C-alpha cells in the first residue's frame, strides 16, 4: 500500500499561536488532498479538499482564513492552523487521493493530535 | 439527512465469536463505493474492505466480509472469529462517484472484544 506521513504526530501549543502540519505521500503523487478533523469520540469530518496548484475548497462551517491549506506539490500538502484556540484541539488527518483511472484510492496519514492550551 | 448511519455506538463480542457491525447509507447516485475502516487507539485509519455498487458478489477479505443489501441500502461488516486485537473503532464510509471522490464517514462503532 501507499505510504503517507504526517508531521508532527503530536503538538501542544499556546492559544494564539499558529501550527503547521505537513502531509507527504512518500511513494506516489497525489493531485488531490483531503483534510479531515476528528474530535474525541467522534467521526472524521471533511474540512477541505485541495488540488495541486489550486486554492482549496472548504466545507461549510470551516474558516478558510483560519485553516490555511497549501498544496504546492504532488507529494506535499500543509495545513496551518492560525491563531489557534482551545476549541481547535483535535486530531487532524490528511488523506491523499491516488488516481487509478476506474478505481481511485484514498489513503490516510497517521494523523496529528493538536492540543491548544 | 445523514448519508452514512451506524446505529451501534458500542458493541461487545466474545473472543472467537463473529460480530456484525451495521451500516446504512443514503444516496441517489447509481455509482458509489462503500468502505470499512478500523481505527485503533493510535488513530491510524486502516482500510478493511470495499464494495462497489455494481459488484454482484459480497466482498470478502480474510476474516472480514461485507453483507451488501443494495435494496435496503445496507453494508454491514461481519468479522468472523474475533480477536482481542480487533478492539477498535470501526467506520463505514461512502464515496459517491458524482460527488468528487471524497469519503463521507458514519459516526463509528466501538467494538470491544472480551477474552
Amino acid at each position: 500500500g501507499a505510504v503517507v506521513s504526517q508531521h508532527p504526530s503530536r503538538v501542544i501549543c499556546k492559544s494564539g499561536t499558529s501550527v503547521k502540519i505537513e502531509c507527504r505521500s512518500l511513494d506516489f503523487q497525489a493531485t488531490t488532498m483531503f483534510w479531515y478533523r476528528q474530535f474525541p469520540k467522534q467521526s472524521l469530518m471533511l474540512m477541505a479538499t485541495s488540488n495541486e496548484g489550486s486554492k482549496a475548497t472548504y466545507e461549510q462551517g470551516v474558516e478558510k482564513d483560519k485553516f490555511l491549506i497549501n498544496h504546492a506539490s504532488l507529494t506535499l500538502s500543509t495545513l496551518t492552523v492560525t491563531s489557534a484556540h482551545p476549541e481547535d484541539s483535535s486530531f487532524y488527518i490528511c488523506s491523499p487521493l491516488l488516481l487509478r483511472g476506474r478505481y481511485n484510492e484514498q489513503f490516510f496519514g497517521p494523523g496529528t493530535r493538536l492540543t491548544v492550551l | 439527512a445523514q448519508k452514512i448511519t451506524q446505529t451501534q455506538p458500542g458493541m461487545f463480542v466474545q473472543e472467537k465469536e463473529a460480530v456484525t457491525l451495521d451500516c446504512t447509507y443514503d444516496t441517489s447516485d447509481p455509482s458509489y463505493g462503500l468502505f470499512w475502516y478500523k481505527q485503533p487507539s493510535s488513530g491510524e485509519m486502516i482500510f478493511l474492505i470495499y464494495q462497489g455498487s455494481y459488484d454482484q458478489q459480497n466482498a470478502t477479505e480474510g476474516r472480514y466480509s461485507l453483507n451488501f443489501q443494495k435494496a435496503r441500502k445496507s453494508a454491514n461488516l461481519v468479522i468472523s472469529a474475533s480477536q482481542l486485537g480487533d478492539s477498535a473503532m470501526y467506520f463505514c464510509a461512502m464515496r459517491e462517484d458524482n460527488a468528487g471522490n471524497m469519503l463521507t464517514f458514519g459516526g463509528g462503532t466501538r467494538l470491544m472484544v472480551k477474552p
Side-chain angles (χ1 to χ4, degrees):
Chain A
V3 181
V4 182
S5 70
Q6 254 183 267
H7 178 80
S9 58
R10 188 180 294 268
V11 57
I12 300 172
C13 70
K14 291 183 179 180
S15 186
T17 61
S18 294
V19 174
K20 179 186 281 189
I21 300 169
E22 288 189 351
C23 176
R24 295 180 186 273
S25 52
L26 299 182
D27 53 359
F28 68 100
Q29 295 183 328
T31 54
T32 299
M33 181 72 74
F34 302 105
W35 283 94
Y36 290 87
R37 178 169 55 182
Q38 185 180 26
F39 291 109
K41 300 189 188 303
Q42 294 187 25
S43 186
L44 282 73
M45 299 299 294
L46 181 66
M47 298 176 66
T49 303
S50 72
N51 291 302
E52 185 259 342
S54 303
K55 286 186 178 180
T57 301
Y58 291 82
E59 295 298 302
Q60 192 172 8
V62 179
E63 301 173 57
K64 62 178 172 46
D65 294 330
K66 182 171 185 60
F67 298 99
L68 302 179
I69 291 173
N70 185 300
H71 192 171
S73 79
L74 294 174
T75 58
L76 173 64
S77 178
T78 60
L79 167 66
T80 301
V81 184
T82 62
S83 187
H85 288 94
E87 57 266 30
D88 299 324
S89 297
S90 188
F91 192 56
Y92 293 86
I93 306 173
C94 68
S95 181
L97 180 70
L98 175 61
L99 298 178
R100 294 187 193 273
R102 182 172 171 273
Y103 174 49
N104 302 322
E105 194 164 358
Q106 194 170 333
F107 297 95
F108 290 88
T112 296
R113 195 165 300 282
L114 170 64
T115 303
V116 185
L117 302 176
Chain B
Q2 291 285 334
K3 282 189 173 287
I4 297 282
T5 302
Q6 293 179 253
T7 58
Q8 306 151 312
M11 286 195 70
F12 284 96
V13 64
Q14 197 67 42
E15 192 180 9
K16 298 181 185 177
E17 292 185 350
V19 63
T20 298
L21 306 184
D22 295 343
C23 173
T24 57
Y25 60 92
D26 182 28
T27 181
S28 56
D29 193 333
S31 181
Y32 53 90
L34 297 158
F35 301 76
W36 277 93
Y37 289 88
K38 173 184 178 181
Q39 187 182 42
S41 57
S42 61
E44 61 181 315
M45 295 293 286
I46 301 170
F47 166 74
L48 297 178
I49 197 166
Y50 165 82
Q51 180 86 44
S53 58
Y54 293 117
D55 292 344
Q56 294 295 316
Q57 293 190 326
N58 287 344
T60 61
E61 288 285 349
R63 293 187 299 113
Y64 304 108
S65 60
L66 203 152
N67 184 359
F68 182 43
Q69 298 190 41
K70 194 170 183 177
R72 294 185 178 184
K73 294 189 175 178
S74 74
N76 299 339
L77 176 70
V78 180
I79 305 175
S80 62
S82 297
Q83 302 172 357
L84 295 179
D86 293 335
S87 294
M89 282 293 291
Y90 288 81
F91 291 99
C92 179
M94 176 173 65
R95 181 176 62 214
E96 298 164 284
D97 288 359
N98 290 326
N101 276 308
M102 82 281 196
L103 292 171
T104 302
F105 288 86
T109 296
R110 178 169 296 283
L111 177 66
M112 290 153 282
V113 181
K114 297 186 291 185

